[in-house]
Amino acid sequence: IFLTLCGQTAWAFNLAEIQLVSKLDDQRGYCIDIRGHKARAKIQRGLQAHTCYSYQGQIGVDQAFDTSLIETGEFYLPAFDVCMAAENRTQGSRLILTRCTDQNRQKFVLNSDNEIKLVANDELCLTVNDGESQEGGGGTPVHLMRRLTLENCATTKNEYKHWLISN
């Protein structure tokens, strides 16, 4: 565990942030993030959209996905040994973290339209809340957070559902 949490150089993974294409109200961008703070993030609290840490010069462990597994549909966070999963297969579902077991709720596809769709219900896209952002507990300027849910792809504005892999 020590080697996993010390830094990227100890990892044998190709790590990247999953970043919202639109900057919305934060010029540093929003990334998929585990709730909590970096190595002390709380996996049981699930995922959110949070200011990307790459502006600090490196990817935060709570935003670092293994890009080699994304093409197989698995959004894996190696520092915590968990995968992104839908709480359920319905609109409004939260994104949670679970042990990687190759279950349907853990399978997503990043398509050519830059949407992250749930394979078990491809009408649903990973979506950042379109309301006001919440202020976090750190950063200069302060970091911002937004809810992250699965919403209907056809009715969601592009700026809230288009993602890219940024490393």
Side-chain angles (χ1 to χ4, degrees):
I1 277 188
F2 178 76
L3 290 176
T4 303
L5 297 177
C6 279
Q8 286 179 227
T9 55
W11 291 338
F13 302 100
N14 184 17
L15 301 176
E17 295 171 325
I18 310 299
Q19 187 174 52
L20 190 67
V21 172
S22 174
K23 302 288 187 196
L24 299 179
D25 59 347
D26 191 337
Q27 288 308 303
R28 297 164 294 185
Y30 282 94
C31 286
I32 300 173
D33 174 85
I34 302 174
R35 293 179 181 274
H37 181 70
K38 296 190 179 184
R40 296 186 313 269
K42 310 287 188 215
I43 60 173
Q44 68 276 12
R45 293 180 63 206
L47 293 170
Q48 65 185 351
H50 185 282
T51 299
C52 297
Y53 290 125
S54 55
Y55 81 94
Q56 297 174 335
Q58 65 181 21
I59 298 170
V61 294
D62 55 344
Q63 296 181 353
F65 288 84
D66 181 355
T67 60
S68 65
L69 295 175
I70 290 173
E71 64 188 42
T72 68
E74 191 172 281
F75 284 69
Y76 176 62
L77 291 133
F80 298 89
D81 194 26
V82 292
C83 284
M84 179 171 80
E87 192 170 49
N88 56 55
R89 297 179 200 159
T90 58
Q91 185 169 329
S93 176
R94 292 182 331 118
L95 281 298
I96 61 174
L97 295 163
T98 59
R99 181 176 206 69
C100 303
T101 58
D102 202 36
Q103 60 181 293
N104 284 340
R105 291 183 306 116
Q106 290 179 339
K107 292 293 182 187
F108 295 85
V109 61
L110 176 58
N111 68 21
S112 59
D113 291 330
N114 295 334
E115 298 167 329
I116 298 175
K117 291 187 169 193
L118 180 64
V119 172
N121 182 349
D122 70 357
E123 293 180 3
L124 300 178
C125 287
L126 188 62
T127 303
V128 172
N129 181 290
D130 65 353
E132 287 191 29
S133 57
Q134 302 283 324
E135 290 189 353
T140 305
V142 70
H143 292 160
L144 300 178
M145 303 172 295
R146 290 174 175 262
R147 283 194 67 199
L148 195 59
T149 56
L150 292 174
E151 302 298 338
N152 184 290
C153 298
T155 60
T156 300
K157 293 179 182 176
N158 290 341
E159 61 262 32
Y160 300 106
K161 67 175 181 176
H162 284 177
W163 300 90
L164 56 86
I165 297 172
S166 176
N167 50 358

